[in-house]
Amino acid sequence: MKEGDAGVLRRRGARVEARARQTAFRTYVAADRRAPVSELAGQVLRKAFPDHWSFLLGEIALYSFAVLVLTGSFLTLFFDPSMAEVPYRGSYGPLRGLLVSKAYESTLDLSFGVRGGLLMRQMHHWAALVFVAAVGVHLLRIFFTGAFRRPREINWCVGVTLFLLALLEGFCGYSLPDDLLSGTGLRTANSIVQSVPVVGTYLAYFAWGGPFPGTAIVRRLYIVHVLFVPGLLIALIALHLILVVYLKHTQWSVPGRTNRNVVGQPMFPAFVGKSAGLSLVVFGVLAVLGGLAQINPIWAFGPYVPDQVSTDAQPDWYVGFLEGALRLMPGVEWNVAGHTVMWNVLLPAVVLPGLLFLVLYGYPFFERWITGDLVEHHLCDRPRDRPVRTGLGVGAVVWYAVLLLAGGNDVIATTFQVSVNGLTWIFRAAFFLAPVLAFLLTRRVCLALQRHERELLEEGEETGEVFQALPGGMSETRRGLDARLRHRLLVREIPLPLEHPGPGAPLRQRLRAGLSVWYYGERVEVPATAEERLQITGRTADPVAGGTGPAQE
């Protein structure tokens, strides 16, 4: 290229760039005159984001949901939710000529006939598993660190609702291919719906469009899966992010961070760059899983036939606890006024998950009632500083793990050549005992860690250097803690237990005081000077002027 031509190209490029800048500036001015663009942009760009790894769990859920939307949009173009039976004439030879539903046929065509279809299917399935797992672990992080306390109770309820909708969305998508595995899951769901007293049979008949297997369930689940639940998820995710921006993040207690400020990285460019990198990692990992790790091979299961069921049939992990609960419940049925009450299905599959989510929704308000705490909290609790809460959380995780394992009792029995009945009784005992043992052990571990920290504050940390005195005795040197570690050990919020109101007080007050003593009665006091206690009070003080709260340690 000649030098003159290069100069012309540079001038043209400069003119195009100048016009683009001018157009962008005019667009910004026009928008700013009609909406508070400058104010909102300034607030968002100045927002401080925490830099601790545990706060990235919510972003993993967000980006896996983005993969779900993108891959699901692709799959929607090719999937047919019809239950009408047609002879299969696709490219998968072993099933050619077999009568299958159009839903099953279109899923096979997606897997073998559409370019990139199998990759999209498997990425979609893996993203669903990661999304539910990330939401669940994110909720656990919020629970163990006390980030659900005032003023974030509503956002906690939004997160629990997101988790519930994620379970529903996963089950609906899992049931669409009409293969033998998903059909077995729908058979279980039909029994669960029918177990609802009085109205169960009517609900099942309406949902399935007639007696099982019906003709309408897949089409209706498809609408729920691609329209209703995704719309609710998108709306709740947007609400959750708005509340996060408005209420600010919680933060770990380190020097410079108090209950009255927010310290972190600015949104632009630090957080944007880090978050963009994480999004690429999530997309990449899900693409690798979708391309290399086979999941849900419906061609191996075959089409659903109502009188058949495959062995080793296991649902996705997030509904595995329901399968386990159904397997552990003894066969108990009552006949009341001509109505059959199937306790063996109603209790484990309707009452149990209902109680689980009722507890999740109500826990922030329950703990606030016990403490009488009206203070806003922006500092994270360390789990060891709240032994009872941490023990309850670990007990719930162990309880869930027991049910998940019980859902595969036949697989475990076959693999290890043990009695499936014996395993069932072991899991029944573990259902009641394992969470209690986990709670007791966790609480003792938390208190032991607190005692260890008190020893560090009193004596300093070990140096590893051992000296022998002239008389022959051995001793070890210790050094004082650095300021950052000492701050982390001292600055904590542990409410004092409520005083007992006396035997003549109402039962509600006595129950509240008893629970408060159970929660906060057993404690390890930290050796802090009067000046340090004054500094702790200042760092944990209520950020709202005039706020009140319970006495703190």
Side-chain angles (χ1 to χ4, degrees):
M1 181 181 294
K2 297 181 180 179
E3 185 177 351
D5 295 337
V8 171
L9 290 177
R10 283 195 297 270
R11 287 192 294 273
R12 288 180 179 176
R15 286 196 296 270
V16 170
E17 183 179 356
R19 289 173 182 171
R21 288 182 177 179
Q22 188 176 17
T23 302
F25 178 74
R26 289 176 177 175
T27 303
Y28 173 79
V29 171
D32 191 47
R33 288 175 178 175
R34 294 163 176 82
V37 176
S38 297
E39 291 82 355
L40 292 177
Q43 292 178 7
V44 172
L45 292 178
R46 290 194 302 269
K47 175 174 170 52
F49 284 84
D51 53 2
H52 195 269
W53 65 267
S54 62
F55 292 89
L56 301 179
L57 295 168
E59 293 180 48
I60 293 175
L62 176 63
Y63 296 134
S64 57
F65 180 74
V67 175
L68 278 173
V69 172
L70 293 174
T71 54
S73 300
F74 177 88
L75 298 177
T76 304
L77 302 175
F78 303 95
F79 180 73
D80 184 352
S82 173
M83 295 288 286
E85 289 190 334
V86 295
Y88 177 68
R89 296 189 177 89
S91 56
Y92 187 67
L95 296 178
R96 197 172 292 134
L98 192 67
L99 275 180
V100 300
S101 66
K102 287 187 177 180
Y104 186 74
E105 180 193 41
S106 62
T107 309
L108 284 178
D109 290 340
L110 259 169
S111 303
F112 299 109
V114 177
R115 189 179 297 274
L118 182 59
L119 175 64
M120 292 293 106
R121 268 197 65 228
Q122 299 200 147
M123 281 185 65
H124 191 73
H125 204 132
W126 279 115
L129 298 180
V130 172
F131 174 65
V132 179
V135 173
V137 178
H138 182 54
L139 282 173
L140 287 176
R141 197 277 301 174
I142 293 173
F143 177 82
F144 284 121
T145 61
F148 56 81
R149 295 173 295 173
R150 187 178 181 181
R152 297 176 180 84
E153 302 97 331
I154 294 178
N155 220 8
W156 166 263
C157 294
V158 170
V160 173
T161 306
L162 280 171
F163 185 62
L164 178 60
L165 289 175
L167 297 182
L168 175 62
E169 178 77 343
F171 176 77
C172 291
Y174 166 86
S175 304
L176 293 181
D178 196 33
D179 61 293
L180 189 57
L181 186 61
S182 64
T184 302
L186 284 176
R187 170 78 266 188
T188 304
N190 183 267
S191 300
I192 293 172
V193 175
Q194 288 187 354
S195 72
V196 178
V198 182
V199 299
T201 53
Y202 301 99
L203 291 175
Y205 193 91
F206 169 76
W208 271 260
F212 186 85
T215 58
I217 186 63
V218 171
R219 183 173 65 253
R220 289 171 177 172
L221 288 178
Y222 178 70
I223 296 299
V224 172
H225 182 69
V226 304
L227 182 60
F228 293 154
V229 177
L232 290 173
L233 284 172
I234 291 172
L236 287 176
I237 289 173
L239 175 60
H240 179 72
L241 294 177
I242 290 172
L243 289 175
V244 167
V245 173
Y246 177 73
L247 299 173
K248 309 297 187 294
H249 284 84
T250 54
Q251 56 190 354
W252 293 102
S253 177
V254 295
R257 300 181 183 182
T258 70
N259 210 32
R260 294 173 176 264
N261 66 2
V262 180
V263 180
Q265 299 175 337
M267 180 174 181
F268 185 83
F271 176 76
V272 169
K274 181 186 294 185
S275 187
L278 179 62
S279 69
L280 296 177
V281 171
V282 172
F283 275 63
V285 170
L286 291 176
V288 171
L289 287 173
L292 300 180
Q294 179 177 273
I295 191 170
N296 198 26
I298 63 165
W299 54 90
F301 306 143
Y304 180 62
V305 181
D307 62 347
Q308 296 181 10
V309 61
S310 60
T311 59
D312 296 351
Q314 300 293 314
D316 283 337
W317 70 267
Y318 46 83
V319 290
F321 76 102
L322 285 179
E323 178 79 12
L326 286 168
R327 296 190 184 194
L328 293 186
M329 181 67 187
V332 180
E333 294 183 0
W334 289 358
N335 190 286
V336 181
H339 295 279
T340 300
V341 181
M342 300 186 297
W343 295 110
N344 54 325
V345 179
L346 181 65
L347 284 179
V350 179
V351 176
L352 185 67
L355 289 175
L356 169 64
F357 280 94
L358 182 63
V359 170
L360 289 177
Y361 279 114
Y363 185 83
F365 310 98
F366 171 73
E367 185 173 301
R368 187 177 66 185
W369 175 70
I370 290 176
T371 60
D373 191 356
L374 300 178
V375 176
E376 287 192 3
H377 297 277
H378 302 289
L379 292 177
C380 291
D381 285 331
R382 292 190 308 157
R384 68 185 62 181
D385 292 335
R386 301 285 183 126
V388 173
R389 181 206 292 162
T390 303
L392 291 174
V394 173
V397 172
V398 171
W399 172 81
Y400 178 88
V402 169
L403 290 181
L404 189 62
L405 289 173
N409 60 352
D410 56 337
V411 180
I412 298 173
T414 302
T415 303
F416 295 99
Q417 297 297 307
V418 296
S419 168
V420 68
N421 291 328
L423 270 180
T424 300
W425 279 104
I426 291 173
F427 284 129
R428 284 173 178 172
F431 176 84
F432 295 101
L433 298 179
V436 176
L437 294 176
F439 167 79
L440 295 174
L441 178 61
T442 302
R443 187 174 65 170
R444 300 316 304 173
V445 169
C446 290
L447 292 171
L449 290 173
Q450 290 187 40
R451 292 189 182 96
H452 173 68
E453 290 178 349
R454 182 178 64 184
E455 179 184 342
L456 289 178
L457 290 169
E458 290 176 342
E459 303 178 10
E461 59 182 347
E462 300 173 350
T463 63
E465 298 178 354
V466 179
F467 294 91
Q468 183 175 17
L470 290 177
M474 308 293 290
S475 61
E476 182 182 19
T477 60
R478 289 176 175 261
R479 60 170 174 264
L481 303 181
D482 62 83
R484 186 180 182 86
L485 177 57
R486 187 173 182 83
H487 180 281
R488 182 160 58 89
L489 300 185
L490 285 175
V491 179
R492 59 181 190 175
E493 301 174 281
I494 305 179
L496 294 172
L498 300 177
E499 295 183 1
H500 198 280
L507 176 62
R508 183 175 180 272
Q509 295 183 11
R510 287 183 282 127
L511 176 62
R512 180 185 181 189
L515 288 172
S516 178
V517 171
W518 180 60
Y519 257 72
Y520 305 111
E522 191 171 6
R523 57 203 295 122
V524 178
E525 305 292 346
V526 293
T529 63
E531 181 181 354
E532 288 175 334
R533 292 189 180 279
L534 184 62
Q535 293 178 0
I536 293 171
T537 302
R539 293 187 177 104
T540 59
D542 185 3
V544 179
T548 60
Q552 305 286 331
E553 178 190 25

